[in-house]
């Protein structure tokens, strides 16, 4: 049986997990996938992801790679693996890819979406997947002004986690945009919402921040969101964004946003 590369597209609710990556004694998405695939195939199988999402972060379109020499048809793998996974994880697609496919190095862009709810009452059915800023008055125009200053290839060291010591902090942001749920989106942005909005009367209270880029550093999107919220509530001027970037210092940017509101929407190759 010839060895083959299979690309998996995975959706998961990360609320109950300590992130993607395997960690001794902790419940992780990768551990669940490794166990499910290994049980299906009958031997320990490596599962490598394109993005190592943080604890509490969810995904609609995580991409992972497995190498198998099983007779199981690729078209049957998504269901077979999902049947062995917890209810909050699903493999939504499995396709064969060339042996030279690099799941980590080949992505052209990724889209993260952050969800904020500004209504007065706690959204109990969506609270696991949003940042509840009760009755916050966010100036979306100011936030978008600041967001546009992040576009392009720049040094995003100020938005990396303080303990991220990688010397390469140059990244490219193709799009950073803030909008409410009732704003009409173009088709390339998929559906408006990360999760279904149950009550249309409070739809304007749902705010979304899309960040599309080539690569991201640890906590980068959450630090961008926290900074944009500081702009939205008036504690920071949009024009300060170039100064923050130039500082190359985590302390120059705003506070980190909670993980629950973040979702990896898709990865394109």
């Amino acid at each position: 049986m010839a060895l083959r590369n299979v690309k998996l597209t995975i959706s998961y609710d990360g609320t109950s997990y300590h992130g993607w990556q395997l960690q001794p004694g902790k419940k992780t998405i990768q551990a669940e996938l490794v166990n499910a695939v290994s049980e299906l195939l009958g031997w320990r199988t490596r599962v490598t992801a394109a993005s190592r999402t943080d604890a509490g972060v969810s995904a609609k379109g995580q991409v992972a790679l497995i190498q198998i020499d099983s007779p199981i048809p690729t078209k049957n793998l998504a269901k077979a693996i999902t049947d062995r996974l917890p209810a909050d994880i699903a493999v939504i697609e499995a396709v064969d890819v060339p042996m030279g496919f690099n799941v980590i190095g080949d992505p052209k862009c990724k889209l993260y979406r952050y969800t904020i709810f500004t209504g007065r009452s706690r959204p109990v059915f969506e609270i696991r997947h949003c940042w509840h800023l009760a009755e916050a008055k966010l100036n979306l125009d100011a936030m978008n002004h600041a967001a546009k200053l992040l576009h392009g290839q720049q040094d995003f060291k100020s938005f990396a986690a303080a303990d991220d010591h990688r010397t390469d902090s140059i990244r490219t942001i193709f799009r950073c945009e803030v909008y409410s749920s009732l704003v009409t989106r173009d088709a390339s942005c998929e559906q408006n919402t990360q999760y279904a909005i149950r009550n249309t009367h409070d739809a304007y209270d749902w705010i979304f921040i899309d960040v599309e880029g080539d690569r991201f550093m640890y906590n980068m999107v959450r630090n961008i969101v926290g900074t944009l919220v500081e702009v939205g509530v008036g504690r920071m001027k949009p024009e300060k964004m170039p100064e923050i970037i130039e500082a190359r210092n985590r302390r120059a940017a705003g506070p980190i946003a909670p993980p629950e509101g973040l979702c990896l929407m898709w990865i394109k190759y």
Side-chain angles (χ1 to χ4, degrees), residues 122-132 206 260:
R122 180 182 299 164
V124 293
F125 291 106
E126 294 90 4
I127 193 63
R128 287 160 59 96
H129 305 113
C130 71
W131 182 6
H132 184 205
W206 290 96
E260 292 80 11

Side-chain angles (χ1 to χ4, degrees), residues 212-229:
E212 182 181 342
D214 59 348
R215 297 178 297 148
F216 295 92
M217 292 177 291
Y218 185 54
N219 288 346
M220 178 174 162
V221 176
R222 290 168 58 197
N223 288 331
I224 287 174
V225 169
T227 304
L228 291 177
V229 167

